[in-house]
Amino acid sequence: DQGMMDQDGNDAGFGGFGGFQGGFQGAPDDIFEELANMFGGRQAQSRRGEGKDVNISLNISFMDAAKGCTKSVTYDVMDTCVTCDGTGAQPGSKPRTCPACGGTGETVNRAMGVFQVRSVCGTCRGTGTIIDRPCTTCKGSGRVRSQKTTEVQIPAGISEEFRLRVAGQGEPGAKGAPAGNLYVQVQIQQHPRFQRQGNDVHVTVPITISQAIMGARISVPGIDGEQVVAISPGTQPGSTKTLRNHGIRHLNNPQRYGDLIIHFNVEIPRKLTDKQRELMEEFAKTEAARAR
């Protein structure tokens, strides 16, 4: 799982976030977990020891986004302390069970004599244990800051509205609990020649007056290399030519591609040789004769 995607922070068919956003949707049993999260300050995840998610930004080139690639990313995480092996206690000692909650990390109180309300234990702060001799390396937290490196698959056709989810590459969980996820928000650099609109690629190509008037075959740049195209006689400034299926692959449909749209820029020479001026004067005379 190194290339799953979310769009605008929501599940794009590959996984996403749960929560109470815009109403509850899910199995009936999940309602009780959501209510427990609300009253318990959303401490359920920390009590289970699941690792935290990590969010990073990654700059990629225009061509990397268009063609896809693999990137190695390095980022900070809170990792298990090797001195205490994540217990938070000095070597030779160990945490003891919290006497207030019996190791559950939560206390139960009755509300109005009917409902049982669970809350985070104030003595151990939800950990279920008490550390009498904290580890000097991690100050009793069981975690130390370190760097982690992983490979991220960038799919062809990705755009900045999508982000990648790499499962299990966030911060490690406690005591064998699942690790969090790594979320990668891509930022795509501009290309000096190509402009992207959706899956279409636009490129501006200069042509000469003679090519515009008489037509020609020229080579133009594309994301898959040079393409030979025909310029029709009488091509006007700003005219376009479309090469179908020579653009960027559709992210959710690898069989479809956008188009390459070529914009012709007719260049007017600022200076003429004597011969060119003579020929242009003759041409101007024929235009004047045609106009009469």
Side-chain angles (χ1 to χ4, degrees):
D1 180 2
Q2 293 195 350
M4 295 186 175
M5 286 163 291
D6 289 342
Q7 183 177 25
D8 295 330
N10 296 321
D11 186 359
F14 299 91
F17 299 106
F20 244 66
Q21 299 176 357
F24 179 81
Q25 293 182 345
D29 290 344
D30 294 337
I31 297 176
F32 299 103
E33 182 177 354
E34 292 293 340
L35 291 173
N37 288 338
M38 292 172 65
F39 288 107
R42 299 199 67 86
Q43 296 293 326
Q45 178 173 345
S46 62
R47 288 200 300 271
R48 291 193 298 266
E50 296 176 2
K52 292 182 178 180
D53 295 333
V54 176
N55 294 273
I56 65 171
S57 295
L58 176 64
N59 288 316
I60 61 174
S61 70
F62 180 96
M63 293 303 294
D64 283 342
K67 308 298 289 183
C69 64
T70 300
K71 292 290 185 181
S72 178
V73 295
T74 300
Y75 48 97
D76 290 335
V77 296
M78 294 301 293
D79 208 345
T80 302
C81 176
V82 296
T83 302
C84 65
D85 197 26
T87 66
Q90 287 186 19
S93 67
K94 61 180 181 179
R96 59 185 174 89
T97 300
C98 174
C101 65
T104 64
E106 59 186 20
T107 56
V108 180
N109 299 297
R110 287 190 175 276
M112 297 180 293
V114 178
F115 297 103
Q116 286 187 342
V117 179
R118 297 179 180 271
S119 59
V120 176
C121 176
T123 303
C124 65
R125 298 183 180 179
T127 63
T129 58
I130 300 295
I131 299 175
D132 297 312
R133 298 174 57 197
C135 171
T136 56
T137 300
C138 65
K139 305 298 187 293
S141 68
R143 301 293 182 101
V144 291
R145 186 171 297 279
S146 64
Q147 286 194 323
K148 186 173 183 177
T149 300
T150 190
E151 299 290 316
V152 178
Q153 299 289 335
I154 309 295
I158 194 170
S159 60
E160 290 186 345
E161 63 187 359
F162 288 91
R163 66 175 182 171
L164 299 170
R165 186 181 78 245
V166 188
Q169 293 301 315
E171 294 190 353
K175 302 177 182 178
N181 299 323
L182 172 66
Y183 289 92
V184 183
Q185 180 67 57
V186 297
Q187 296 179 344
I188 303 173
Q189 301 168 357
Q190 292 186 348
H191 194 277
R193 296 212 62 178
F194 301 127
Q195 292 82 42
R196 177 177 178 176
Q197 290 186 358
N199 293 98
D200 295 333
V201 176
H202 294 254
V203 62
T204 299
V205 177
I207 60 175
T208 65
I209 290 180
S210 60
Q211 289 173 330
I213 294 174
M214 296 184 294
R217 292 181 66 84
I218 63 171
S219 180
V220 301
I223 63 172
D224 294 314
E226 295 290 316
Q227 304 289 331
V228 176
V229 299
I231 301 174
S232 301
T235 293
Q236 301 298 309
S239 297
T240 63
K241 189 177 187 70
T242 299
L243 297 185
R244 300 295 181 189
N245 300 317
H246 281 75
I248 294 173
R249 177 186 296 176
H250 284 245
L251 189 62
N252 295 323
N253 188 349
Q255 304 304 316
R256 292 184 59 200
Y257 289 81
D259 301 328
L260 176 63
I261 302 173
I262 305 162
H263 300 256
F264 294 114
N265 179 30
V266 181
E267 292 188 329
I268 308 299
R270 295 181 179 277
K271 293 183 179 181
L272 298 175
T273 65
D274 291 341
K275 181 64 174 178
Q276 288 172 331
R277 180 172 294 279
E278 180 182 345
L279 293 173
M280 287 302 297
E281 288 174 350
E282 288 296 324
F283 181 71
K285 289 178 182 178
T286 61
E287 285 184 311
R290 175 183 291 183
R292 287 198 293 267

